[in-house]
């Protein structure tokens, strides 16, 4: 089970704030979308949203987020902070949808934007903005799996310098199960807590590190 960084009751506020931030940055401040994404993922605001910091997800407006991001990453000040929103722009939807997916998947914004570019997301708006958010999640998940082909288990095992056989012997988990988890023929997210604990203890990682988002 994935543990989210913050409770779902704060999710709507976080989505609205990030949606407003993207709309304000791109449509009012005229910062190109791809450039604003670079600034955003470089800023501490990005990490603070990922970590569910209440002062950000429930305490800042979109304008305040952009102001902080721009000042922190460029040292610049925004000259005009007036902003009128007329409905949900494509830019608003991008921030709103990505915020939901980040909360849902617990992936970093950096990883998400490495796979889903601003242009990709803007194209998706026209077919998905009126659909249930789960449609976007399904497409995002598929793209993420295609991009990050190695499972977390394989990445941690390789980094630790441990063969599948050695991991099996040291953890007590069958070699066949380890092979199937790494080949995605068996869903590691549905493995027992004991299995995950045994593997994580050998590899020196947490159980959540092994789960596929």
């Amino acid at each position: 089970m994935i543990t989210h960084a913050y409770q779902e009751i704060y999710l709507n506020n976080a989505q609205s704030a990030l949606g407003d931030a993207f709309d304000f940055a791109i449509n009012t401040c005229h910062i190109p979308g791809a450039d604003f994404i670079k600034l955003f993922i470089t800023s501490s605001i990005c990490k603070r949203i990922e970590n569910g910091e209440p002062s950000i997800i429930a305490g800042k407006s979109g304008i305040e987020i952009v102001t902080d991001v721009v000042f922190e990453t460029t040292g610049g000040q925004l000259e005009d902070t007036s902003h009128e929103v007329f409905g949900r722009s494509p830019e608003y939807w991008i921030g709103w949808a990505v915020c939901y997916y980040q909360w849902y998947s617990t992936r970093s914004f950096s990883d998400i934007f490495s796979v889903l570019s601003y242009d990709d997301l803007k194209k998706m708006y026209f077919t998905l903005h009126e659909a249930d958010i789960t449609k976007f999640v399904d497409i995002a998940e598929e793209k993420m799996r295609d991009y990050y082909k190695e499972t977390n288990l394989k990445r941690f095992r390789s980094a630790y310098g441990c063969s599948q056989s050695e991991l099996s012997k040291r953890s007590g988990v069958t070699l066949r199960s380890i092979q199937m988890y790494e080949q995605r023929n068996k869903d590691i997210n549905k493995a027992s807590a004991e299995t995950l604990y045994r593997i994580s203890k050998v590899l020196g990682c947490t159980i959540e590190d092994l789960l596929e988002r």
Side-chain angles (χ1 to χ4, degrees):
M1 177 182 289
I2 294 175
T3 302
H4 302 293
Y6 52 96
Q7 295 179 350
E8 192 170 359
I9 58 172
Y10 298 110
L11 180 57
N12 187 58
N13 284 341
Q15 286 182 264
S16 296
L18 200 58
D20 282 338
F22 270 74
D23 185 47
F24 175 66
I26 297 166
N27 293 325
T28 300
C29 301
H30 306 295
I31 302 171
D35 290 348
F36 179 65
I37 286 174
K38 290 177 184 177
L39 297 179
F40 173 67
I41 62 177
T42 303
S43 72
S44 66
I45 296 292
C46 175
K47 290 296 181 187
R48 291 164 72 186
I49 293 175
E50 291 173 358
N51 293 334
E53 189 172 311
S55 63
I56 303 296
I57 62 171
K60 282 192 180 290
S61 68
I63 292 175
E64 289 171 328
I65 287 174
V66 176
T67 300
D68 289 352
V69 166
V70 169
F71 179 74
E72 183 182 324
T73 56
T74 71
Q77 299 276 1
L78 298 178
E79 294 183 2
D80 182 10
T81 56
S82 60
H83 182 46
E84 202 166 357
V85 180
F86 297 95
R88 288 191 174 187
S89 66
E91 293 73 24
Y92 176 95
W93 179 84
I94 289 172
W96 178 87
V98 170
C99 186
Y100 181 92
Y101 180 62
Q102 190 284 318
W103 173 85
Y104 169 86
S105 67
T106 73
R107 295 180 185 274
S108 69
F109 283 110
S110 179
D111 283 351
I112 294 169
F113 285 122
S114 291
V115 177
L116 299 171
S117 70
Y118 174 74
D119 288 338
D120 290 336
L121 289 162
K122 194 160 185 179
K123 289 175 185 175
M124 293 168 73
Y125 164 82
F126 296 103
T127 55
L128 295 177
H129 73 282
E130 291 184 347
D132 189 271
I133 189 62
T134 57
K135 298 290 186 183
F136 172 72
V137 168
D138 289 342
I139 292 172
E141 286 285 85
E142 183 178 355
K143 290 181 178 294
M144 296 297 285
R145 283 194 295 269
D146 287 344
Y147 187 86
Y148 296 105
K149 293 189 181 296
E150 283 193 345
T151 62
N152 291 332
L153 172 58
K154 185 174 182 180
R155 287 194 299 107
F156 276 97
R157 181 180 60 76
S158 298
Y160 190 78
C162 183
S163 69
Q164 290 178 334
S165 297
E166 184 181 359
L167 177 58
S168 175
K169 290 176 184 176
R170 294 181 59 185
S171 67
V173 177
T174 65
L175 175 59
R176 182 60 180 154
S177 289
I178 291 171
Q179 290 171 335
M180 292 184 74
Y181 289 139
E182 291 195 359
Q183 294 165 2
R184 301 187 192 275
N185 291 325
K186 195 173 181 180
D187 188 355
I188 197 167
N189 291 1
K190 295 179 181 178
S192 69
E194 183 180 359
T195 293
L196 293 169
Y197 172 74
R198 288 181 176 181
I199 294 174
S200 65
K201 190 174 181 182
V202 173
L203 299 180
C205 62
T206 67
I207 287 176
E208 288 196 348
D209 287 333
L210 299 173
L211 299 179
E212 295 297 320
R213 307 311 200 253

